[in-house]
Amino acid sequence: MNLVSSAYSQALDVIAAVEPRVAEATRKELADQRASLKLIASENYASPAVLMTMGTWFSDKYAEGTIGHRFYAGCQNVDTVEELAAEHARELFGSEYAYVQPHSGIDANLTAYWSILAHRVEGPWLENAGVKNMNDLSEADWEKLRGELGNQRLLGMSLDAGGHLTHGFRPNISGKMFHQNQYGTDPETGLLDYDAVAAKVKEFKPLILVAGYSAYPRRVNFAKMREIADSVGATLMVDMAHFAGLVAGKVFTGDEDPVPHAHVVTSTSHKSLRGPRGGFILATEEYAPSVDRGCPMVLGGPLSHVMAAKAVAFAEARQDSFRTYAQQVADNAQSLAEGFKKRGARLVTDGTDNHIVLLDVSSFGLTGRQAESALLDSGIVTNRNSVPADPNGAWYTSGIRFGTPALTTRGFGHDEFDRVADLVVDVLTNTEPGTTKAGGPSKASYVLGDGVADKTHAAAAEMLAKHELYPGLDLV
Ligand code: DSN
């Protein structure tokens, strides 16, 4: 038995001795992940080295504060791994500063927002009031400052155009703490219209312009977005959570690389970047001191075991093989999109040039919810997603979002993604909308044709068998 098999088998025995049901669910999760076509655009498979780094005693250590300046004693080893993660991130992305403490993408965005507010609003306030620290402000000044912080303008991409809910959408705190507004995409092409964004920025005059997306299947010109932000003195913040792997792998370079153009860049580490579940922030030197205040300003104590795993993942992403992987992710998305188009399916923006393909399933007479469920029954794991001006709203939706990072990690190539398109189209063609219990039209229920799920499972299993997840990992 190889080292990884033996390490995990023994670890599961240790867990089973305390709570066997957790050990069993963990084994089953591996089996389930191995047995399905994972096409969720925000998921991937981290390496055993990354996964194992998360399972250590670093989890037991409190380390609030920053490298070398902790609120707890005994953080010398946490300092080592946090500095390694930050150093690898700086080198990987060519950024002036990296902050690796955020626990998730939402935490990274919230930390970035407060850091920008601290830099742009609180800093000048303190200077005007002639005090060094917020705690030294008078009660009256405090009151006024609170009002100003809470009334800043934020402009981001709208959710149904592909933006993320943390970009000012109402159910998220960003939509409540800011005076927010959104830019969309061209109603005809579904593409970003930079002139329209520029006009909206001139009219709305945001303090923060957010670029980045979680469901837009195209590249963004960040040099143009910076020009637009500069036209009103806004801070450009780019959320690259989805495409960080394509930036790290040098698929997005020049104007498409956000790091040289944005003041602040936020990200997750677990999507196309293939690291542990977590977040991080890159920034210019100018913003670094306020981002560095993330914990305890916004964040709870850093997860030292995850920061250690970020260091391992970023080291992996600095290897040449990661560039090959990232290019394959983009090439496979092209193959998937072409595969859909040649079978008559409708795509938002008519294609892709990143890792996302957004299929408009209304052409199959289905809602996103119905399509997502029918695909899941057939062993194809995706998620439903709004399309621009979606008549079915954000819950039922009219779209299915596909992503190539996970199956590319398993070794799927061009022809296999064409076959995936074939299977998806076959399932959706053979799915009919169902009815409610009372017999009326339903946006959720569906009827899958006889034998379709079994046939698709069998075809998927054949492909998956050629590309085992974690080859050589055999649990005993
Ligand atoms: N959950 C991530 C995604 O699926 O895109 C965003 O938070």
Side-chain angles (χ1 to χ4, degrees), residues 49-332:
V50 168
L51 297 179
M52 283 180 168
T53 309
M54 281 189 282
T56 78
W57 26 91
F58 266 124
S59 171
D60 299 331
K61 191 75 196 93
Y62 256 118
E64 287 173 18
T66 50
I67 301 165
H69 290 274
R70 307 284 183 183
F71 290 89
Y72 294 84
C75 292
Q76 60 282 3
N77 299 310
V78 179
D79 282 349
T80 301
V81 294
E82 182 171 352
E83 178 48 32
L84 276 170
E87 183 188 315
H88 279 308
R90 288 192 302 269
E91 293 294 326
L92 179 62
F93 293 104
S95 69
E96 291 174 9
Y97 164 80
Y99 185 66
V100 298
Q101 293 193 11
H103 309 157
S104 69
I106 287 190
D107 284 8
N109 284 351
L110 207 54
T111 303
Y113 290 143
W114 274 108
S115 304
I116 295 167
L117 289 176
H119 181 71
R120 299 282 310 264
V121 181
E122 179 197 303
W125 253 89
L126 298 184
E127 210 170 300
N128 280 346
V131 295
K132 279 213 171 104
N133 193 303
M134 278 176 87
N135 300 334
D136 299 329
L137 286 177
S138 72
E139 217 16 73
D141 275 345
W142 242 123
E143 210 41 52
K144 279 191 217 152
L145 175 57
R146 267 200 289 267
E148 278 206 25
L149 284 169
N151 277 302
Q152 297 300 324
R153 287 185 291 273
L154 174 88
L155 184 71
M157 191 182 211
S158 70
L159 198 64
D160 69 353
H164 190 250
L165 56 98
T166 54
H167 299 175
F169 189 56
R170 282 284 177 210
N172 178 256
I173 186 77
S174 59
K176 301 186 198 304
M177 72 191 241
F178 286 109
H179 175 29
Q180 58 80 32
N181 203 331
Q182 277 138 24
Y183 57 86
T185 45
D186 182 277
E188 292 297 315
T189 62
L191 296 171
L192 257 181
D193 173 348
Y194 294 94
D195 292 339
V197 177
K200 188 123 204 181
V201 162
K202 284 246 160 64
E203 178 199 325
F204 185 61
K205 298 196 174 39
L207 178 82
I208 305 176
L209 174 64
V210 182
Y213 51 79
S214 61
Y216 180 66
R218 295 287 174 178
R219 301 184 187 194
V220 173
N221 183 325
F222 296 110
K224 257 193 199 151
M225 293 302 274
R226 175 59 186 262
E227 234 176 77
I228 294 171
D230 283 348
S231 73
V232 294
T235 296
L236 177 64
M237 174 177 140
V238 175
D239 177 348
M240 68 166 184
H242 256 269
F243 51 91
L246 301 184
V247 179
K250 308 292 177 225
V251 176
F252 291 1
T253 55
D255 292 352
E256 294 165 355
D257 177 351
V259 180
H261 305 293
H263 298 94
V264 179
V265 176
T266 60
S267 188
T268 52
S269 38
H270 52 273
K271 297 188 173 87
S272 55
L273 192 50
R274 211 164 58 180
R277 186 160 294 281
F280 64 99
I281 301 174
L282 307 174
T284 57
E285 288 291 356
E286 182 192 356
Y287 283 83
S290 44
V291 175
D292 232 20
R293 289 168 50 195
C295 169
M297 178 170 65
V298 176
L299 299 169
L303 308 176
S304 307
H305 53 308
V306 182
M307 292 196 298
K310 286 173 190 168
V312 175
F314 296 160
E316 286 178 348
R318 291 183 66 189
Q319 294 170 6
D320 287 345
S321 56
F322 193 83
R323 290 192 184 196
T324 311
Y325 163 72
Q327 188 56 53
Q328 193 64 52
V329 165
D331 292 349
N332 284 344

Side-chain angles (χ1 to χ4, degrees), residues 392-417:
N392 287 322
W395 180 249
Y396 293 109
T397 82
S398 304
I400 293 286
R401 186 184 67 164
F402 296 87
T404 52
L407 288 182
T408 304
T409 294
R410 280 186 80 154
F412 275 50
H414 179 278
D415 292 352
E416 282 142 324
F417 270 96

